[in-house]
């Protein structure tokens, strides 16, 4: 069964001065699928994800979302489309509490005559519901995020995607190798998102994670897409040879 296309990025280019970070990348993301986005350091993975999340603008190229041309000109625009980004440690405001982070940019307002108030109680209660069951150690909605563990921070970010029924979640894992516990936690987080039926783009350097979590693997090398295949069709060695350039290219229609 072929799933409907959620997002279609075409010929995306991004230059930073003389550096061509992306040299005309096409990417199709289908509803409910998880794509592993892999490539060497500097291949352009984060640049592509930042473009989809509205954090930066492409130099050229087009993006369709649900079949319509869109201009993802800011992270607010991305959120309004249902595109949410979860960075390992970024993406949360350390000066705000858990509930405020979950509601960032979408605060509940209570109107009283000419006055507007933040409806803190409603936000706190909804945050608690979204957070329940997401972490062994569920953070309190009033807790400051600065003091949370990595797992709790991730729970906050996932609660946000749950509450806002995001259609697409972008996960940019850190370059540094994750420890065993952190890898397990990251995989659990991805599984929770998959259970919600969202599409996921997962940047990871962890091959078991690619094999276990994704349906498709997309390989970037020096700003060019050199691999786009069903994960089940590619061995770990196949993927590595695309990353290093030992194999030139392997692209199958999505
Ligand atoms: N703000 C920037 N200014 C200038 N060059 C940049 C900027 N951001 C990224 N680049 C360059 O663009 C290229 C792609 O970088 P990008 O961060 O997308 O790579 P990546 O695949 O995410 O790498 P990593 O695995 O190390 O996270 C690199 O050559 C990088 O140096
Ligand atoms: Mg990166």
């Amino acid at each position: 069964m072929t799933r409907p296309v959620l997002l279609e990025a075409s010929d995306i280019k991004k230059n930073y001065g003389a550096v061509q970070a992306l040299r005309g990348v096409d990417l199709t993301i289908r509803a409910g699928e998880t794509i592993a986005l892999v490539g060497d350091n500097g291949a352009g993975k984060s640049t592509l994800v930042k473009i989809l999340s509205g954090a930066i603008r492409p130099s050229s190229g087009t993006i369709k979302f649900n079949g319509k041309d869109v201009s993802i000109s800011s992270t607010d625009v991305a959120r309004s489309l249902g595109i949410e980004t979860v960075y390992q440690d970024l993406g949360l405001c350390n000066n705000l509490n858990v509930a405020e982070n979950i509601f960032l940019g979408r605060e509940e307002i209570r109107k009283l005559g000419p006055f507007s108030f933040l409806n803190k109680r409603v936000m706190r209660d909804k945050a608690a519901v979204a957070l329940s069951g997401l972490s062994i150690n569920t953070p309190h909605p009033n807790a400051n995020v600065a003091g949370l563990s990595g797992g709790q921070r991730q729970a906050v970010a996932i609660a946000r995607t749950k509450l806002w029924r995001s259609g697409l979640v972008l996960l940019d894992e850190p370059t540094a190798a994750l420890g065993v516990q952190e890898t397990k936690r990251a995989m659990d987080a991805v599984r929770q998102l998959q259970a919600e039926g969202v599409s996921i783009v997962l940047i990871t350097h962890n091959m078991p994670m690619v094999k276990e979590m994704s349906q498709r693997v997309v390989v970037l090398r020096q700003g060019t897409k050199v691999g786009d295949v069903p994960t089940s069709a590619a061995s770990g060695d196949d993927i590595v040879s695309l990353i290093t350039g030992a194999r030139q290219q392997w692209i199958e229609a999505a």
Side-chain angles (χ1 to χ4, degrees):
M1 186 191 70
T2 325
R3 298 162 168 182
V5 171
L6 179 68
L7 183 146
E8 197 169 10
S10 306
D11 203 17
I12 301 293
K13 296 182 180 159
K14 177 68 185 179
N15 304 327
Y16 291 106
V19 178
Q20 289 181 285
L22 295 174
R23 303 169 185 243
V25 171
D26 298 330
L27 180 68
T28 299
I29 304 170
R30 291 182 177 277
E33 82 174 336
T34 299
I35 294 177
L37 181 59
V38 302
D40 237 331
N41 296 137
K45 305 177 299 293
S46 293
T47 301
L48 183 57
V49 157
K50 282 179 191 162
I51 287 169
L52 300 181
S53 72
I56 59 172
R57 307 297 327 273
S59 302
S60 65
T62 59
I63 299 174
K64 281 188 167 156
F65 195 80
N66 281 324
K68 289 197 196 82
D69 281 312
V70 291
S71 163
I72 310 177
S73 51
S74 69
T75 49
D76 282 348
V77 170
R79 282 192 182 146
S80 71
L81 292 170
I83 302 174
E84 205 56 70
T85 311
V86 180
Y87 295 100
Q88 180 74 8
D89 278 314
L90 312 168
L92 300 180
C93 293
N94 280 329
N95 56 333
L96 300 178
N97 72 27
V98 167
E100 288 163 344
N101 265 282
I102 291 174
F103 280 84
L104 195 62
R106 300 170 167 119
E107 288 81 1
E108 293 270 345
I109 306 291
R110 189 162 49 103
K111 286 208 183 296
L112 198 65
F115 303 107
S116 299
F117 300 93
L118 284 183
N119 204 335
K120 293 200 172 175
R121 191 181 49 79
V122 169
M123 291 198 283
R124 195 186 57 220
D125 293 350
K126 287 189 180 174
V129 171
L131 281 165
S132 62
L134 284 183
S135 160
I136 306 163
N137 213 337
T138 307
H140 191 277
N142 288 342
N144 207 292
V145 296
L148 301 185
S149 71
Q152 289 177 317
R153 295 175 75 91
Q154 212 155 28
V156 173
I158 291 171
R160 196 162 64 192
T161 70
K162 272 179 73 170
L163 202 59
W164 304 118
R165 306 204 171 283
S166 306
L168 173 60
V169 177
L170 309 167
L171 290 144
D172 197 346
E173 287 291 327
T175 307
L178 295 179
V180 175
Q181 272 307 109
E182 289 165 306
T183 303
K184 194 185 159 301
R185 201 187 68 214
M187 287 201 199
D188 287 345
V190 172
R191 281 196 198 95
Q192 284 171 356
L193 290 170
Q194 287 173 333
E196 302 285 318
V198 300
S199 305
I200 301 168
V201 175
L202 171 68
I203 296 181
T204 176
H205 290 262
N206 182 308
M207 200 56 71
M209 188 125 127
V210 172
K211 294 297 285 177
E212 203 166 317
M213 307 310 305
S214 72
Q215 283 91 51
R216 254 187 124 68
V217 55
V218 169
V219 186
L220 295 182
R221 189 182 342 119
Q222 294 174 4
T224 302
K225 186 173 84 172
V226 294
D228 193 342
V229 289
T231 308
S232 57
S235 70
D237 285 349
D238 290 332
I239 297 168
V240 169
S241 60
L242 285 164
I243 291 171
T244 60
R247 178 171 182 166
Q248 278 297 307
Q249 207 179 56
W250 183 10
I251 290 176
E252 289 184 14

